[in-house]
Amino acid sequence: MDMLVPVLFALGAALSNALATVLQRKAALSVPRSDQLRAGLLLDLLRRPVWLAGIAAVVAAAVCQAVALATGPLTIVQPLFVLELPLALIIATMLLHGRLSPAGWAAVAAVVTGLAVALAAASPAGNRTQVPMDHWIPALTVCTAALVALVAAGLRRPEGRARAACLGLATAVAYATTAALMKTSMHTLDDGGITAFLTTWQTYGFALYGAAALFLLEHAQARRFPESRTATGVNPYASLSIRFPGGRVRRGKRTRSMLILGLRRCVRQALPMADDADTSMDPGVLDVLSRRVLGGALVVDERRLSGGFSSDNLLLRTDRGKSFVLWRYPRRNTCALEAVLMELVRERVSVPEVVYADDGGDLLGEPFILTRFAPGVPLTSVFAGAAEEDGPQLAEAVAEVLVAIHSVRFGRPGFFSDGDLRPDATPPEHHDDLAAFVEAAVARGNAAAALSEAEQQALVELGAQCAPLVAETAGADQLVHSDCNPKNLLMRPGDRGSWRVSAVLDWEYAFSGSGLFDLGNLLRFPQDLSPGFAEHFPGAYEKAGGVPPGRWREISEALDLFALSDLLTRSPDHPLFAPAAAAIRERLTRHR
């Protein structure tokens, strides 16, 4: 029962601090940042009601912490504060409309487990309230020197993770020092009353260090980087590692090892949890998006999505409960083309809604598209769990979408050079000559890393044999998605266990030509399709209004040799290099 009161108040402090963290972080992200520490930051925050609500939670946390330290040992109270981070994540998911990933929940469980180990080892062997000055001087000297060194190191570094980590660690040291001084002050208040409390130097010491901790925390949180959250994970560890006066753990090598093990587990899990809740995007980019594109909404969560060959895709969630996808183009600028194509086909098929497109890179320094998030499950995942009876219905859903795409005509074949959607009459080198294209891909690529010399020669010969089949599609002017594989088709469940296509993604390679390119792409890897899909797809495509020629399978496989050969020019480490080589080898076997 002696430990019940300090434990309850320590948990109350952790909960209040968690709420304060969420509210203050939301406020800190809405104010201008500076390369240096500035007092004006607090003045900016004072004008934001959400920050004032966070300060009220800080006051409540301070009161709870003071009571906990006054009634319990430092070695029990401080480790409990590591619960602030999992509590903050849970509160953030509720207040900021976010979502904690399964890995995040696993980390929460690991933090609690590690905390239990630490507390089991930290049963106090003493709880001194009167500590001589010669014990305080070395502890405060070490802490102050560490705090100054961390702040100086952070300010010498450019905006980024290193600076955020330094400020977060400095905040942890300041909070740990505050806790030790506060504990002594609260015992002074209990023993000598308010006069003794107001005349002891520790009272003003914890006020000074506490103000410094709050000041540093606001600057750290404004950086948005997960490393700024080190304050929460390292604070308890610092409190015990620096050997503050007034709190001791049980003696013994085994006990100390258990304590270190438990605290390390807490810290190791707490830091990845911060990454689960925070974003690593450049804060300046997020500021611009908030002001210029999102109407003032703040991005409170970011997740990296699988992207296309040209784009990197990021899922963004705002404090207003909306989700968007940011398509960035650091390699090949197909921004204008994809934005125009998605607008062109949105009346026929489901595609992400374009909110903003900047093909010149004027706003963020690189081309980008912002779309509304299109919910759905990749067809690859649906295939993985589908039964044989699901094959016909999935084939019908995909066939309807492809027929709708192929119904768009451009008057002539060709590639699109920009967003005006006028097919280029002069195709890129060899793109109208399968035999020459395959031969060039084998010569300049990495085919030798997967195919023998005999297989490479057989592939070149296969390209020449299939060239007449490709010639049969000359003049076709259908819209071809050109990357129509299952990962680019999002699915949503419909009625009675059925599925429908909720979005078609990644239009970067689209051109005007034969829709059979897409059929060859879709059916390229039969082992990855659900049972019955490939068998039912041709009939479903025809039923939906598509009119494949009699030799559609041979022609679609011939057209797909363009893509398969091109994949051999990628690095052997590319995820599609080995599957492409295996598909080529299988086709060579069939054509012998």
Side-chain angles (χ1 to χ4, degrees):
M1 287 297 293
D2 292 342
M3 289 295 104
L4 180 61
V5 171
V7 168
L8 289 178
F9 276 93
L11 292 175
L15 179 61
S16 297
N17 263 333
L19 178 60
T21 294
V22 175
L23 297 176
Q24 289 178 296
R25 187 165 184 76
K26 181 176 180 179
L29 295 174
S30 66
V31 298
R33 283 185 302 278
S34 170
D35 288 340
Q36 304 297 321
L37 302 183
R38 62 184 184 92
L41 174 65
L42 295 179
L43 296 178
D44 290 335
L45 292 170
L46 279 171
R47 293 192 288 269
R48 286 160 173 78
V50 68
W51 187 79
L52 295 176
I55 288 296
V58 168
V59 172
V63 172
C64 290
Q65 183 180 15
V67 175
L69 291 171
T71 57
L74 189 71
T75 52
I76 291 294
V77 172
Q78 282 300 98
L80 287 170
F81 293 154
V82 80
L83 291 175
E84 176 193 332
L85 185 52
L87 290 172
L89 289 178
I90 294 171
I91 292 172
T93 61
M94 296 185 293
L95 295 186
L96 302 180
H97 309 283
R99 183 175 59 190
L100 189 58
S101 69
W105 285 112
V108 170
V111 166
V112 174
T113 302
L115 183 60
V117 174
L119 292 178
S123 295
N127 191 24
R128 292 179 295 173
T129 60
Q130 299 299 324
V131 182
M133 181 61 72
D134 62 341
H135 287 203
W136 278 112
I137 290 175
L140 292 178
T141 300
V142 169
C143 290
T144 303
L147 193 154
V148 172
L150 287 167
V151 170
L155 294 180
R156 284 197 299 267
R157 284 162 172 76
E159 184 72 44
R161 291 175 177 266
R163 172 177 287 196
C166 288
L167 293 179
L169 288 169
T171 304
V173 173
Y175 270 132
T177 310
T178 301
L181 292 167
M182 180 185 289
K183 178 172 179 57
T184 300
S185 298
M186 294 310 298
H187 279 298
T188 301
L189 176 64
D190 186 52
D191 295 338
I194 188 65
T195 301
F197 175 78
L198 293 176
T199 55
T200 184
W201 68 268
Q202 286 94 338
T203 299
Y204 301 96
F206 88 69
L208 177 63
Y209 275 95
L214 179 63
F215 179 71
L216 291 171
L217 180 64
E218 298 304 336
H219 279 277
Q221 290 192 129
R223 260 93 193 146
R224 293 198 73 97
F225 295 104
E227 286 77 3
S228 67
R229 304 291 300 133
T230 52
T232 300
V234 178
N235 176 8
Y237 203 26
S239 295
L240 302 178
S241 299
I242 299 174
R243 302 179 65 87
F244 279 116
R248 292 178 291 165
V249 300
R250 288 187 309 197
R251 296 185 182 277
K253 185 175 181 180
R254 179 181 175 86
T255 298
R256 188 168 295 278
S257 297
M258 286 179 61
L259 176 61
I260 293 174
L261 174 65
L263 286 172
R264 281 181 177 173
R265 181 163 187 172
C266 288
V267 174
R268 282 177 183 170
Q269 295 297 332
L271 298 185
M273 284 168 61
D275 197 26
D276 192 82
D278 286 300
T279 174
S280 59
M281 277 186 66
D282 185 330
V285 170
L286 295 173
D287 284 345
V288 173
L289 284 175
S290 175
R291 295 195 314 269
R292 302 283 297 275
V293 181
L294 296 174
L298 299 177
V299 176
V300 297
D301 188 26
E302 172 210 333
R303 295 288 185 274
R304 187 169 298 280
L305 302 173
S306 60
F309 181 72
S310 304
S311 63
D312 293 331
N313 300 342
L314 303 165
L315 172 62
L316 309 178
R317 292 190 178 92
T318 72
D319 60 345
R320 298 175 185 175
K322 304 295 184 181
S323 296
F324 302 87
V325 175
L326 180 67
W327 310 57
R328 306 166 79 177
Y329 296 84
R331 294 175 290 277
R332 175 171 171 258
N333 185 5
T334 60
C335 172
L337 173 62
E338 292 201 67
V340 171
L341 280 173
M342 284 191 282
E343 288 300 312
L344 174 68
V345 302
R346 66 177 301 103
E347 297 299 324
R348 303 171 187 250
V349 298
S350 296
V351 293
E353 179 186 350
V354 177
V355 176
Y356 195 97
D358 177 15
D359 63 306
D362 300 325
L363 203 58
L364 303 183
E366 64 181 357
F368 78 93
I369 298 174
L370 188 74
T371 67
R372 296 195 185 278
F373 174 66
V377 180
L379 183 56
T380 48
S381 300
V382 177
F383 278 159
E388 186 168 358
E389 56 267 23
D390 297 323
Q393 195 277 317
L394 289 170
E396 291 178 4
V398 175
E400 289 177 3
V401 168
L402 283 183
V403 168
I405 293 173
H406 299 159
S407 67
V408 178
R409 304 283 180 143
F410 294 96
R412 71 182 185 195
F415 292 87
F416 306 120
S417 57
D418 51 37
D420 64 9
L421 298 185
R422 288 183 297 182
D424 190 340
T426 304
E429 184 180 12
H430 303 319
H431 277 64
D432 59 344
D433 186 339
L434 178 62
F437 186 93
V438 172
E439 185 174 5
V442 170
R444 76 173 189 275
N446 295 302
L451 303 177
S452 67
E453 289 189 14
E455 288 173 329
Q456 294 176 57
Q457 182 57 39
L459 175 58
V460 173
E461 293 173 0
L462 180 61
Q465 294 171 17
C466 292
L469 293 172
V470 173
E472 293 185 26
T473 67
D477 62 350
Q478 296 171 297
L479 174 59
V480 180
H481 182 279
S482 191
D483 197 13
C484 189
N485 62 72
K487 77 177 180 65
N488 286 329
L489 299 174
L490 297 185
M491 310 296 290
R492 298 196 73 178
D495 298 332
R496 302 187 186 93
S498 63
W499 291 90
R500 62 181 179 84
V501 178
S502 61
V504 182
L505 309 177
D506 290 348
W507 294 82
E508 57 192 316
Y509 291 117
F511 65 94
S512 175
S514 170
L516 292 179
F517 273 99
D518 286 336
L519 272 61
N521 192 322
L522 180 66
L523 304 175
R524 177 183 299 159
F525 302 124
Q527 70 274 12
D528 295 335
L529 307 177
S530 67
F533 181 89
E535 293 79 6
H536 287 87
F537 183 82
Y541 186 83
E542 188 170 358
K543 179 182 176 182
V547 187
R551 294 193 297 169
W552 73 268
R553 187 177 295 276
E554 292 89 338
I555 296 174
S556 64
E557 285 193 354
L559 293 170
D560 196 43
L561 275 182
F562 279 107
L564 286 175
S565 301
D566 184 62
L567 287 172
L568 291 181
T569 67
R570 308 284 177 88
S571 167
D573 296 330
H574 190 280
L576 290 178
F577 183 85
I584 288 172
R585 190 174 290 111
E586 188 273 333
R587 295 186 188 186
L588 293 178
T589 301
R590 282 195 282 116
H591 284 81
R592 282 176 183 168

